[in-house]
Amino acid sequence: MDCLFCKIVAGDIPARKLYEDEHVVAFHDISPAAPVHFLVIPKKHINTLNDLTEDDKALAGHILFTAQRLALEQGCEAGFRVAMNCNPQGGQTVYHIHMHVLGQRQMQWPPG
Ligand code: AMP
Ligand code: ZN
């Protein structure tokens, strides 16, 4: 399968990894939108949030908990933003689900 993030999981494309375990990988975004900007992805390929199933509920929680733990490790005690973009109108460009974690600057609401 021609998926950029599956290639990062496999180690075929380099990434600045922050964390890896059996189920997830976290790495710095190549085009950071904040001083801290990393992505948490499942090792399993899932196209979009719409493709999550009941069987993925523990994995989805693990992604969120990993995001929280790493955000604090990256010094985001003052606050941070998590975001998951779904499909074109949601702003998704890479079709392997990923949670963005942004921090170390003031976030605005609503996002663009
Ligand atoms: P999205 O627009 O929500 O699908 O987010 C995709 C994100 O992946 C963007 O923030 C990109 O900067 C990031 N990205 C694309 N290619 C890479 C890469 N090779 N390594 C790290 N981040 C990447
Ligand atoms: Zn993939």
Side-chain angles (χ1 to χ4, degrees):
M1 189 190 311
D2 196 26
C3 169
L4 178 65
F5 287 176
C6 280
K7 287 178 184 162
I8 286 177
V9 169
D12 295 340
I13 287 180
R16 292 173 55 219
K17 284 185 189 169
L18 282 166
Y19 177 76
E20 178 166 9
D21 65 23
E22 194 185 342
H23 301 292
V24 300
V25 182
F27 51 91
H28 293 283
D29 196 291
I30 203 165
S31 178
V36 169
H37 185 181
F38 62 88
L39 305 174
V40 185
I41 72 170
K43 287 191 166 175
K44 171 186 175 183
H45 180 86
I46 301 172
N47 259 330
T48 79
L49 268 185
N50 289 343
D51 299 304
L52 275 185
T53 69
E54 284 281 322
D55 289 345
D56 298 318
K57 281 160 73 173
L59 179 60
H62 187 49
I63 290 169
L64 184 60
F65 185 67
T66 301
Q68 175 251 64
R69 201 169 44 75
L70 295 179
L72 296 179
E73 265 182 40
Q74 294 291 305
C76 299
E77 294 87 358
F80 58 91
R81 168 78 47 81
V82 298
M84 294 184 83
N85 301 327
C86 182
N87 275 332
Q89 199 159 31
Q92 185 172 5
T93 61
V94 177
Y95 282 77
H96 177 134
I97 62 167
H98 46 281
M99 182 171 283
H100 292 262
V101 183
L102 300 104
Q104 300 280 20
R105 69 165 168 80
Q106 182 60 50
M107 298 298 149
Q108 307 300 328
W109 193 261

